[in-house]
Amino acid sequence: MAGSISFLKQVHRAFDEAATHTDLSPGLTKQIREANSVYQVSFPIARDDGRIEVIEAWRCEHSHHKLPTKGGIRFSTLVNEDETRALATLMTFKCAVVDVPFGGAKGGIKIDRRKYSDAELERITRRYAYELASKSFIGPGIDVPAPDYGTGPREMGWIVDTYRALTSGELNAEACVTGKPVGIGGIRGRTEATGRGVFFGLREACSIAEDMAELGLSTGLADKRVVIQGLGNVGSHSARFLAEGGASIVAVAEYEGAIHNPSGLDIEAVIEHRKDTGSILDFPGSTNLSESEEALELECDILVPAALENQITHENAPRIQARIIGEAANGPTTADANDILRQRGVMVLPDMYLNAGGVTVSYFEWAKNLSHIRFGRMQKRAEEASHRRLLEAVESASGAHFTDLEKDVVTEGSGEEQLVNSGLEETMLVAYHEIREIQKRLGDKADLRVAALVSAIEKIAITYSLLGIFP
Ligand code: NAD
């Protein structure tokens, strides 16, 4: 029943259930649950033909228990205050689950980006950044936006430039937003980080023989049949990494329809086909499904919704055949659908864990901006020299001789991208085992979503207690 209970109520319903598994006071629980501040703004922009249009936008800072707050900005016609609050709330828990030291936030502009020229989108983005700055809703130590649905590095570049113009001389201005192009303080690996994190999370879940046996699945990603909904940033990178990890992408759904090939789709070729033709449909060797939602119900092992919220509802949940749902999007499963899937024994890897790769690497980008130095710049060559000395010592002690190629491979030091990916992998693996352990402790009383929330709530409660606010 998508929309019958609001997105925010659904998030609160899951929170309330998780809170029953903690022994926190009602006052503290309420403080953790409610949004700290919400800014709604309407502003005029000039269309290219001279007409003036009034644009509605929001920014919600859900939790100030850690600063800055952090969360994406989306461009979508579905943006409203309820959605922005819900997404900001999820961000707070997401940051806590993966130990990223931020409170949660989210922003949105209510537009269909396809109906605006690039120049109009630039005017809208810059005006929104100006509105945020003038009300202190953006800043490296205040609130740091990032890309989300409908936005990317280009929009983040416009925001940095606007912020810099308004705060002349601020040394850390680049840290006011993450997901920027690398040339202006972005970090290698950020664009694909959410999809890479989805891959690490699913790979880890599928590597645990005991859990896979319960689902009636073999261990590992190899040959797992995957359906992807949404071939945007998160969906396309999730699909790429899953395919590289041995999974078979059997269907892809976009808003124009879906394509299906039980023997597997070449995901790079699908992306190229969409670039060339403007649609995923009519991809050679695949069958078109005219109703995009049909793809969610196809026979597969893993379903990855990577588009928008409220896609798996109480209506289609009974017909979903996947044994694992990897929530790459935020809020793709309604609370009612979640109950049905739980009863049916489907494993749901919750959004607040599975798509946390984006905010994790955003944290690395923010830290890089504050330190004003690229990760790996100081130690890469020193690491290589140290590995080379070690190899030479092994050669002289053993009489073995390594070729130059072998030496290069073994001694290579870590650059920014390797360090980012390593930090992301560590984060996703540690967090998965933390929430799995809580889920095992709670047994039938909790699924992984409740366990992730319990983990987050307990961590946030500790911060409040250390601050002396709720001793
Ligand atoms: P995006 O705009 O790059 O891609 C979304 C894709 O979904 C688009 O290609 C769009 O056409 C498609 N789509 C829209 N409605 C659809 C429908 N009904 N059926 C099938 N496809 C549909 O956005 P994104 O950044 O990939 O974000 C996708 C989801 O992931 C959102 O829920 C977002 O909040 C979440 N997310 C994104 C990030 C990030 O780093 N970008 C991080 C965490 C979570």
Side-chain angles (χ1 to χ4, degrees):
M1 211 167 2
S4 68
I5 106 162
S6 82
F7 188 10
L8 182 61
K9 283 199 176 116
Q10 298 189 43
V11 172
H12 281 168
R13 192 167 123 182
F15 176 91
D16 293 342
E17 181 184 344
T20 63
H21 299 297
T22 69
D23 53 9
L24 305 179
S25 70
L28 177 50
T29 313
K30 190 165 166 49
Q31 172 61 20
I32 295 173
R33 184 184 191 264
E34 302 304 325
N36 291 171
S37 41
V38 185
Y39 176 42
Q40 192 271 321
V41 60
S42 302
F43 54 79
I45 63 121
R47 299 293 304 253
D48 291 341
D49 63 7
R51 277 179 303 129
I52 300 293
E53 192 174 303
V54 176
I55 305 285
E56 270 187 291
W58 287 264
R59 182 78 186 167
C60 171
E61 292 174 358
H62 172 261
S63 179
H64 294 148
H65 76 289
K66 292 211 168 166
L67 288 170
T69 52
K70 186 99 192 70
I73 294 174
R74 64 168 55 181
F75 289 175
S76 154
T77 50
L78 302 176
V79 166
N80 57 41
E81 184 170 327
D82 183 277
E83 180 194 76
T84 310
R85 280 176 179 263
L87 291 165
T89 310
L90 281 176
M91 279 305 296
T92 293
F93 304 133
K94 190 181 300 186
C95 291
V97 163
V98 290
D99 287 327
V100 161
F102 299 137
K106 202 76 179 189
I109 304 184
K110 188 175 178 163
I111 52 166
D112 178 350
R113 59 166 302 136
R114 287 169 299 183
K115 298 200 172 133
Y116 295 86
S117 68
D118 286 350
E120 289 169 339
L121 287 174
E122 180 170 355
R123 287 198 284 281
I124 293 170
T125 309
R126 286 183 180 277
R127 177 65 189 251
Y128 178 68
Y130 169 81
E131 295 293 339
L132 294 184
S134 63
K135 297 289 183 301
S136 288
F137 266 79
I138 186 171
I142 300 171
D143 186 356
V144 181
D148 191 63
Y149 185 92
T151 58
R154 181 182 69 163
E155 286 74 18
M156 301 306 115
W158 292 332
I159 293 174
V160 168
D161 189 50
T162 308
Y163 183 80
R164 228 172 11 195
L166 292 168
T167 56
S168 156
E170 185 178 324
L171 187 61
N172 293 323
E174 275 182 349
C176 77
V177 74
T178 59
K180 302 176 288 288
V182 172
I184 53 165
I187 197 164
R188 286 160 189 81
R190 170 62 183 88
T191 306
E192 55 274 39
T194 308
R196 198 187 286 276
V198 167
F199 160 69
F200 285 141
L202 281 167
R203 189 192 63 186
E204 195 58 17
C206 290
S207 74
I208 302 173
E210 178 194 341
D211 297 356
M212 289 304 105
E214 265 179 43
L215 296 170
L217 295 175
S218 59
T219 311
L221 269 184
D223 300 323
K224 290 266 182 324
R225 297 161 304 165
V226 181
V227 172
I228 304 269
Q229 184 199 36
L231 204 59
N233 175 319
V234 178
S236 62
H237 286 112
S238 301
R240 276 191 175 118
F241 293 121
L242 287 165
E244 274 171 32
S248 171
I249 313 297
V250 293
V252 171
E254 255 295 333
Y255 68 89
E256 67 263 23
I259 50 171
H260 181 214
N261 181 349
S263 311
L265 296 159
D266 175 345
I267 203 68
E268 296 300 338
V270 173
I271 291 167
E272 277 309 305
H273 171 79
R274 190 167 194 233
K275 266 191 208 146
D276 294 344
T277 67
S279 166
I280 54 168
L281 296 176
D282 302 324
F283 179 69
S286 69
T287 312
N288 287 341
L289 306 179
S290 54
E291 297 300 326
S292 178
E293 314 82 73
E294 278 177 56
L296 304 179
E297 300 170 26
L298 288 170
E299 200 181 319
C300 66
D301 303 306
I302 304 175
L303 171 61
V304 179
L308 278 176
E309 55 264 21
N310 291 336
Q311 298 302 305
I312 303 172
T313 67
H314 86 296
E315 279 156 18
N316 60 7
R319 295 191 299 273
I320 280 177
Q321 302 192 54
R323 299 297 294 142
I324 300 174
I325 294 180
E327 292 189 333
N330 283 308
T333 312
T334 66
D336 290 338
N338 197 64
D339 291 346
I340 295 169
L341 295 169
R342 201 153 143 181
Q343 277 159 17
R344 293 185 51 221
V346 176
M347 173 191 255
V348 179
L349 293 184
D351 47 8
M352 78 196 74
Y353 161 68
L354 197 67
N355 69 32
V359 77
T360 302
V361 175
S362 275
Y363 164 45
F364 301 156
E365 179 177 333
W366 177 79
K368 170 188 174 175
N369 295 152
L370 295 184
S371 67
H372 297 269
I373 188 162
R374 166 167 53 80
F375 290 118
R377 181 168 173 179
M378 300 290 278
Q379 66 270 43
K380 186 171 191 287
R381 300 283 159 180
E383 223 178 72
E384 284 177 4
S386 154
H387 292 165
R388 203 163 277 275
R389 283 195 298 275
L390 188 66
L391 218 55
E392 281 162 8
V394 170
E395 276 183 332
S396 77
S398 67
H401 180 72
F402 300 103
T403 65
D404 285 346
L405 183 65
E406 284 167 338
K407 280 184 188 160
D408 288 347
V409 170
V410 174
T411 59
E412 194 190 354
S414 303
E416 181 170 89
E417 195 159 0
Q418 287 100 323
L419 291 168
V420 163
N421 293 342
S422 150
L424 174 59
E425 184 171 7
E426 166 71 5
T427 303
M428 295 305 293
L429 267 50
V430 167
Y432 186 68
H433 288 281
E434 264 178 26
I435 62 175
R436 182 176 177 272
E437 249 171 55
I438 295 176
Q439 196 270 324
K440 294 280 164 210
R441 172 161 53 84
L442 295 172
D444 289 343
K445 288 183 283 181
D447 56 11
L448 286 169
R449 188 186 315 279
V450 171
L453 277 164
V454 169
S455 166
I457 294 170
E458 285 175 347
K459 288 177 187 175
I460 298 165
I462 290 171
T463 305
Y464 276 120
S465 129
L466 293 172
L467 290 169
I469 300 172
F470 284 91

